[in-house]
Amino acid sequence: MQYGVCTLSAIPMRKESDDTAEMVNQVVFGETFEILEHTKKWSFIKLAHDGYEGWIDSKQLLPISQKFYEQANSQVPFTSQELIEIISEEKTAEFYPIFLGSILPFYSNGTVQIQDKEYRFNGAVAQSQKSREELVEHAYQYMHTPYLWGGRTPFGIDCSGFTQMVYRLCGYSLPRDAYQQATEGDTLSFIEESEPGDLAFFDNEEGRITHVGIILNDNYILHASGKVRLDRLDQTGIFNRETGNHTHKLRVIKKII
């Protein structure tokens, strides 16, 4: 088995091995993965943190050893808490912008170690689990981020990428897609039982869960639809304050933390 890591800000993961194929996800700085299939141009990978699979450009990965892969994933990860910040390679002084929620392998006193490369990062980091109040604060950091199918950064994000990254920033791991996240935690019967930071899930006409958002106080919800936006939540679903219509049908509310 071969292994790799992302050392760029965010690289597209595609459904098929083609530059024009659908982007289903993004791999952000510091995330490691198994390489399940490898060609000259493309690599089919499986992310370590959530098991998500897809194709990435082979030029955009850095090979790592099995030992590094296993050691990196045996630790609770440090994450960048900065919306966007520079990380620089010590030997070459080359620098790279990285986004909120990026992984910082083997972080210690501003130093990040990736294989035989040492990086310097001077931004805010976190490792331990945070409170609901802090989770809500992090959710607001993505406010007005444009919706991007497969996106996971403050420059473009989808609904489940939004919830996954907000929870990561607070020390909690979620699966990638909304229907997968809906299998986590405890089910609540009523909105009134929810607390800020709980997740609300919504289904389509076929009954498949296709949307998720983060519940706030006073029946508000933050979710990615066109952009990360603030709307009202009731027993029917999401009520868009601008159009005056319900846009998503409520399926279930889950308490994750």
Side-chain angles (χ1 to χ4, degrees):
M1 182 68 69
Q2 294 178 299
Y3 302 89
V5 63
C6 175
T7 55
L8 298 174
S9 56
I11 60 178
M13 176 186 283
R14 301 193 181 278
K15 189 174 183 179
E16 299 172 0
S17 55
D18 191 297
D19 284 318
T20 63
E22 173 188 356
M23 186 180 80
V24 295
N25 197 17
Q26 287 175 314
V27 188
V28 302
F29 184 93
E31 290 184 338
T32 58
F33 43 83
E34 298 178 30
I35 302 173
L36 305 179
E37 186 177 339
H38 186 74
T39 68
K40 184 177 180 180
K41 179 170 173 54
W42 296 97
S43 294
F44 187 68
I45 68 168
K46 179 179 181 179
L47 289 171
H49 72 95
D50 62 6
Y52 214 78
E53 297 181 357
W55 293 92
I56 65 171
D57 189 324
S58 297
K59 298 188 297 295
Q60 295 182 318
L61 68 84
L62 175 70
I64 56 174
S65 66
Q66 181 176 349
K67 180 180 179 181
F68 180 91
Y69 175 86
E70 292 175 348
Q71 289 179 340
N73 290 294
S74 68
Q75 303 179 349
V76 177
F78 282 90
T79 59
S80 169
Q81 305 287 294
E82 304 285 357
L83 195 67
I84 185 168
E85 185 56 271
I86 295 298
I87 191 168
S88 58
E89 190 177 345
E90 292 279 29
K91 288 183 179 179
T92 65
E94 292 182 336
F95 60 89
Y96 306 83
I98 64 172
F99 297 121
L100 190 64
S102 296
I103 300 293
L104 304 171
F106 302 103
Y107 176 87
S108 178
N109 297 319
T111 298
V112 176
Q113 192 73 36
I114 299 180
Q115 201 68 17
D116 59 348
K117 295 177 182 290
E118 191 171 281
Y119 296 83
R120 171 61 55 178
F121 183 76
N122 296 320
V125 304
Q127 182 186 39
S128 58
Q129 293 181 340
K130 297 184 178 183
S131 67
R132 288 177 173 274
E133 291 76 13
E134 291 170 304
L135 190 148
V136 169
E137 290 176 6
H138 281 303
Y140 272 109
Q141 286 183 280
Y142 289 92
M143 192 72 173
H144 301 305
T145 295
Y147 181 89
L148 175 66
W149 179 265
R152 295 174 64 222
T153 80
F155 285 77
I157 205 161
D158 63 23
C159 66
S160 56
F162 168 59
T163 49
Q164 185 188 52
M165 295 304 285
V166 169
Y167 268 72
R168 169 186 281 185
L169 288 164
C170 296
Y172 300 93
S173 179
L174 284 180
R176 177 60 177 90
D177 290 336
Y179 76 92
Q180 297 170 321
Q181 295 176 7
T183 65
E184 303 289 306
D186 299 319
T187 301
L188 303 180
S189 300
F190 303 100
I191 295 175
E192 291 72 22
E193 297 175 349
S194 68
E195 299 177 81
D198 289 341
L199 298 181
F201 295 89
F202 308 85
D203 57 17
N204 59 17
E205 294 179 355
E206 290 75 40
R208 187 173 186 273
I209 290 174
T210 57
H211 194 66
V212 59
I214 298 175
I215 295 176
L216 308 177
N217 275 322
D218 301 321
N219 292 350
Y220 282 95
I221 186 170
L222 271 175
H223 67 120
S225 180
K227 62 180 180 180
V228 176
R229 55 178 297 119
L230 182 67
D231 284 312
R232 299 307 300 256
L233 177 68
D234 57 33
Q235 291 294 346
T236 298
I238 293 176
F239 184 79
N240 185 302
R241 298 182 301 157
E242 296 173 357
T243 65
N245 298 313
H246 282 91
T247 58
H248 298 81
K249 181 167 67 73
L250 181 63
R251 170 71 171 273
V252 65
I253 298 172
K254 302 298 286 283
K255 185 176 295 295
I256 308 296
I257 60 175

